[in-house]
Amino acid sequence: MNTNDGGPAFPTGLHDIRGASLRDWFAGMALQGLVARGDCRVGMDQPSESQQWASKAYRYADAMLAARSAK
């Protein structure tokens, strides 16, 4: 698992409140794109199938973080 999560997606300046990481945000956006493109079904019945799509979204997020740090 990637230990670099990109930090907070929406930093507030309050160090004791931590919401979604940038990695979580990227994964959510990637999953949204996969669903919109029709690559996965909405309302997936199989837990294993939904886990596969979540894993795929996080692989995209990890790739985005790697590209971001390579600049």
Side-chain angles (χ1 to χ4, degrees):
M1 184 170 168
N2 184 359
T3 57
N4 175 15
D5 66 2
F10 305 103
T12 62
L14 302 174
H15 298 291
D16 58 331
I17 299 175
R18 184 165 165 94
S21 69
L22 187 56
R23 182 176 184 252
D24 292 332
W25 174 255
F26 282 163
M29 299 306 290
L31 185 58
Q32 184 178 17
L34 291 169
V35 170
R37 197 171 79 177
D39 284 357
C40 59
R41 294 182 295 138
V42 176
M44 296 170 274
D45 298 334
Q46 303 291 333
S48 62
E49 188 177 343
S50 59
Q51 180 62 40
Q52 289 173 357
W53 290 111
S55 294
K56 186 174 189 177
Y58 273 101
R59 286 194 303 272
Y60 278 108
D62 291 339
M64 286 186 266
L65 286 170
R68 186 175 188 254
S69 66
K71 59 180 180 169

